[in-house]
Amino acid sequence: MGMHLDLPGPRTLSLDRPVIVGVLNLTPDSFSDGGRYADTDAAAPAARAMLDDGADVIDIGGESTRPGAARIDADEQCRRILPTVEAVVERWGAIVSVDTTLAAVAQAALDAGAAMVNDVSAGRDDPAMLPLIARRGVPVVLMHMRGRPATMQHNPEYDDVVAEVHDLLMQRAAAAVAAGVEAHQIVIDPGIGFGKTTEHNLQLLAALDRLVASGHPVLLGTSRKRFLGELVGETDATRRDLATAATTAAGVLAGVRLFRVHDVKPNRHAADVTFAIASHRNP
Ligand code: HH2
């Protein structure tokens, strides 16, 4: 078998072609889709539509991480997401990842049928997170963030953003392995927009091959982010999906395997076309 992630039970997620992860935020305040999916009745059809558009995974979260966002406690995150996690898994057998930094939320979501964990703190927020991932044997996304969402965009500075993001991710991957997580289950993510200026984001996007060279699968999350609005002059976040698809194409050519996006179809198409081109390169 080629590169893949092991999911609970007998299932696997192949990384032999690009994986599109559809975003489902069950939050009132996310920056581009906040308040859209107030409950399972609204969220479940949205997940179905993303699967029909070619999403491989649905990433469900109950806490916004936009700059300045307030923290949401575990009980409230569970109240927001669990009915939808259950519905999406039971109705369509979807692969669900849970977007949370709290082990209690991750555990409840895994019990409700989620198959992987997306932790934007890379296991730093809750010391119980990496041991939980190890115990359950599920894949985990470890994302780079400088600071916390409350303050991360207050004048972020790096000497060498590419080296610093790479080194922190390698440290967090090592911490996960030390906690008992299998190395091949660890996905790394540069955390575009998390404590980074437009210049930092572009340097990271130009050097994705550095992360790919680590051997860990790489996930990219650029969808609708502010730096894209700056580059194309688009203040409405929901009109940044073509700009997002351009980053997906660039990511595929650099060897990135997973793409976390709001609008699945343009990114599915961009990924599939660039992947077909890349697979015709001369060895
Ligand atoms: N970006 C956001 C949230 N979660 N997870 C990973 N692994 N990588 C990312 O880049 C990433 C993420 C922010 O986007 P969104 O979910 O649309 O907004 P909000 O945090 O306001 O809910």
Side-chain angles (χ1 to χ4, degrees):
M1 203 185 315
M3 204 179 191
H4 68 280
L5 299 173
D6 288 318
L7 305 177
R11 295 209 290 179
T12 61
L13 176 62
S14 171
L15 303 176
D16 289 339
R17 62 165 209 145
V19 166
I20 301 295
V21 179
V23 178
L24 198 58
N25 285 317
L26 303 180
T27 52
D29 59 341
S30 286
F31 80 95
S32 90
D33 60 354
R36 240 183 106 183
Y37 313 122
D39 55 25
T40 302
D41 287 345
R48 179 69 255 168
M50 288 196 270
L51 295 167
D52 292 341
D53 282 346
D56 304 289
V57 177
I58 306 292
D59 186 45
I60 300 182
E63 177 181 52
S64 173
T65 52
R66 75 177 197 291
R71 295 304 315 259
I72 306 298
D73 69 26
D75 285 346
E76 176 64 9
Q77 286 190 44
C78 286
R79 196 192 61 72
R80 290 178 179 181
I81 69 170
L82 292 182
T84 299
V85 170
E86 229 161 72
V88 170
V89 170
E90 277 173 18
R91 289 185 207 170
W92 304 306
I95 298 170
V96 168
S97 93
V98 56
D99 186 351
T100 187
T101 66
L102 300 181
V105 178
Q107 180 163 343
L110 293 170
D111 289 342
M116 45 191 290
V117 176
N118 173 21
D119 181 351
V120 299
S121 83
R124 293 183 292 174
D125 204 20
D126 185 341
M129 183 63 101
L130 296 176
L132 169 75
I133 304 287
R135 248 185 350 263
R136 303 295 288 252
V138 292
V140 64
V141 179
L142 302 177
M143 193 195 79
H144 178 275
M145 173 168 13
R146 169 64 65 84
R148 291 288 320 161
T151 55
M152 67 188 178
Q153 290 306 101
H154 296 175
N155 196 27
E157 283 181 37
Y158 302 81
D159 288 328
D160 179 342
V161 68
V162 172
E164 289 173 49
V165 166
H166 174 273
D167 291 354
L168 188 277
L169 288 173
M170 292 307 102
Q171 281 174 30
R172 296 315 301 160
V177 168
V181 180
E182 288 185 55
H184 84 277
Q185 296 283 71
I186 299 171
V187 177
I188 58 173
D189 176 346
I192 298 297
F194 284 85
K196 284 129 191 150
T197 63
T198 295
E199 179 62 29
H200 296 143
N201 291 329
L202 290 170
Q203 287 180 22
L204 287 165
L205 286 165
L208 289 168
D209 54 328
R210 269 289 293 282
L211 296 181
V212 170
S214 72
H216 290 286
V218 176
L219 181 145
L220 187 60
T222 59
S223 190
R224 298 180 175 173
K225 284 180 181 171
R226 186 164 46 193
F227 81 105
L228 293 175
E230 261 174 48
L231 290 173
V232 300
E234 185 54 79
T235 52
D236 179 348
T238 64
R239 296 168 66 108
R240 297 173 186 160
D241 294 315
L242 287 175
T244 302
T247 66
T248 295
V252 168
L253 294 177
V256 173
R257 297 306 174 104
L258 302 98
F259 299 87
R260 181 183 180 278
V261 300
H262 298 88
D263 190 2
V264 168
K265 189 170 271 184
N267 289 288
R268 176 86 268 163
H269 288 181
D272 289 351
V273 171
T274 42
F275 188 71
I277 295 168
S279 60
H280 284 74
R281 281 172 178 157
N282 287 320

